[in-house]
Amino acid sequence: MQTHSASRLLLILLGLALPLCVFGGVYKWVGPDGKVTYSDKPQPGAIEVEMPKFPAVAPVTAPVTTSTTAPTSSGPQVDAKKSVPPFKGYSKLSIVKPESDATVRENTGNVQVELASEPEWSPQWGHKVSLTLDGKPLPETHAATKFGLHNVDRGSHTLQITVLDEKGVMLITSQSVTFHMKRQSAKF
């Protein structure tokens, strides 16, 4: 039951934060009473909060466009194939952040996740990253090697990453990494 309410809260917070990401910055400051405040208007002593960048979602049935150059006499497909080698499979996938047995001290419960792969990840392959937190798959996928988890509860957690191809077929899975989330309690 707690997982459903935490997921629901996360979706609500992301829904509220999305317009702020589109229209301007988000600023955070601590008032004289110790209360943390967020706003879209800068205040004296406020710091700008880096908001997660959400990648554009391509339709599942549409092929991924690999051309990043303007058409030339040789055609865009030739240029795109030169810039990105064809995918022949991953030989290695690992979680770089959070590090194994790391303690993450973040009162909002945000955890930065970063992966490394061999060969190096290319968004032009159309692959997606799927996460498993504490043995439970998370519903969203990511099209990048760096992204964030939000509102992770206090305590120790295991994280595992799986790379899926454009059709959702599993290509490779990382080893699990354990990290420890430390959040201040409002009771203190």
Side-chain angles (χ1 to χ4, degrees):
M1 194 62 108
Q2 184 179 7
T3 303
H4 292 293
S5 62
S7 297
R8 197 171 298 135
L9 178 61
L10 176 61
L11 288 173
I12 291 169
L13 290 174
L14 285 174
L16 293 173
L18 188 57
L20 296 175
C21 295
V22 172
F23 296 113
V26 175
Y27 302 91
K28 171 184 171 182
W29 68 92
V30 179
D33 59 352
K35 181 180 173 188
V36 176
T37 305
Y38 294 90
S39 174
D40 61 344
K41 295 178 178 72
Q43 302 291 323
I47 59 169
E48 187 168 359
V49 177
E50 183 177 325
M51 298 301 292
K53 300 202 177 11
F54 296 102
V57 178
V60 176
T61 57
V64 176
T65 304
T66 58
S67 176
T68 58
T69 59
T72 62
S73 59
S74 62
Q77 293 300 324
V78 174
D79 293 335
K81 288 181 181 178
K82 287 181 183 177
S83 64
V84 176
F87 179 71
K88 295 182 180 177
Y90 291 104
S91 61
K92 183 179 176 185
L93 177 68
S94 60
I95 299 171
V96 178
K97 280 186 179 179
E99 294 178 8
S100 183
D101 204 34
T103 298
V104 178
R105 298 180 196 299
E106 174 60 47
N107 288 336
T108 60
N110 293 339
V111 178
Q112 294 301 312
V113 178
E114 184 177 343
L115 65 92
S117 65
E118 288 181 17
E120 189 173 327
W121 178 279
S122 172
Q124 293 181 347
W125 290 329
H127 299 165
K128 303 284 185 203
V129 176
S130 173
L131 290 104
T132 303
L133 184 64
D134 300 329
K136 298 175 187 163
L138 299 179
E140 66 274 351
T141 59
H142 304 273
T145 59
K146 296 178 183 180
F147 42 87
L149 295 176
H150 306 285
N151 200 25
V152 176
D153 290 332
R154 288 182 189 89
S156 296
H157 300 279
T158 58
L159 179 66
Q160 190 172 36
I161 292 177
T162 300
V163 176
L164 309 170
D165 71 7
E166 63 278 356
K167 295 177 182 173
V169 175
M170 182 178 72
L171 299 173
I172 189 171
T173 300
S174 72
Q175 294 289 323
S176 293
V177 168
T178 299
F179 67 94
H180 314 282
M181 174 56 71
K182 299 291 183 184
R183 296 175 72 173
Q184 280 185 329
S185 173
K187 296 178 185 177
F188 294 110

